[in-house]
Amino acid sequence: LGYVEHLGAHDQKELWGFVAPIKDNKPKLQVLYKAFDWLIQDAQHHCVRQVVRLEALFEANKKEVDKETQMPFNSWMDITTVKAYIEVCKQLLRYIFRSKDIQPKKRPAYKLTEQQQMCINDIVLLNQPLQDNKYKSVVISGLAVLAIREDNGWLDAKDYTPKYLAMIKLARLIVV
């Protein structure tokens, strides 16, 4: 997947610290968490056929730009799934907030765009062209860090895939 190369020289225990749950009360992150919870709840309620045109739901469910999809995007998730998916996004938010001010040599080499720096708590983080190196995206870089287990090993595909699915589902939900 390229994660090992992207994260290679960095201490995995330190990287895990970027995404670990907050032990102290960081007011800025707590506010962001609450706003994100509300955003997802609101998006899930509004991302339905009665509110959004069916064409938009089909477009949101595309997996490849040039291929049509057979089913519209379905925003429904049970509460357990919603909580698990939101936790993945919160881990990425922690990664961004904890690593953004660290010298690039001491953290994985992603680069926030100027717009992302100004709007760090907005969906603009999802809109970054990947160009020559996909790991320049803070979201992709953060997903790489989420592949690390607490014991400094790597998650297997069975345990890691739900994290990717969480980001895909919630990104689609927010965009619609």
Side-chain angles (χ1 to χ4, degrees):
L1 292 172
Y3 293 171
V4 176
E5 185 179 315
H6 174 63
L7 302 176
H10 302 283
D11 180 80
Q12 289 183 332
K13 196 170 199 157
E14 286 180 29
L15 293 174
W16 176 252
F18 289 143
V19 299
I22 313 173
K23 292 189 173 115
D24 53 352
N25 229 353
K26 300 266 186 206
K28 196 172 184 179
L29 270 176
Q30 295 297 339
V31 168
L32 187 58
Y33 286 172
K34 185 53 76 178
F36 193 78
D37 288 341
W38 290 340
L39 171 70
I40 296 303
Q41 183 179 23
D42 191 52
Q44 192 174 18
H45 284 54
H46 287 90
C47 190
V48 293
R49 291 180 187 178
Q50 295 82 358
V51 178
V52 178
R53 292 184 57 134
L54 192 57
E55 294 85 1
L57 296 175
F58 271 99
E59 192 67 25
N61 208 34
K62 278 188 175 180
K63 295 181 180 38
E64 296 179 47
V65 176
D66 59 340
K67 293 187 179 172
E68 294 299 319
T69 184
Q70 301 298 313
M71 302 214 15
F73 177 68
N74 182 356
S75 67
W76 187 88
M77 294 177 278
D78 64 54
I79 191 64
T80 306
T81 302
V82 171
K83 286 180 180 182
Y85 282 13
I86 287 175
E87 180 53 31
V88 171
C89 288
K90 286 179 180 179
Q91 286 178 304
L92 284 174
L93 290 172
R94 289 192 292 265
Y95 173 69
I96 293 165
F97 270 84
R98 291 174 176 168
S99 67
K100 68 181 173 65
D101 296 326
I102 295 174
Q103 294 177 356
K105 291 179 182 176
K106 295 185 177 187
R107 64 161 169 77
Y110 66 80
K111 182 161 176 41
L112 292 171
T113 66
E114 188 175 318
Q115 186 180 16
Q116 287 171 332
Q117 290 172 0
M118 291 171 35
C119 306
I120 199 156
N121 55 355
D122 199 349
I123 67 167
V124 74
L125 291 171
L126 302 173
N127 187 22
Q128 181 175 7
L130 299 180
Q131 297 170 0
D132 63 329
N133 182 347
K134 61 186 171 190
Y135 294 102
K136 286 183 180 175
S137 161
V138 68
V139 173
I140 301 296
S141 180
L143 283 168
V145 172
L146 293 182
I148 299 172
R149 292 191 321 243
E150 281 188 75
D151 66 1
N152 296 329
W154 296 98
L155 293 175
D156 59 28
K158 179 180 70 89
D159 294 327
Y160 184 70
T161 301
K163 294 178 186 283
Y164 256 147
L165 294 176
M167 283 306 301
I168 292 167
K169 180 81 172 193
L170 294 185
R172 286 177 174 170
L173 190 66
I174 292 168
V175 168
V176 171

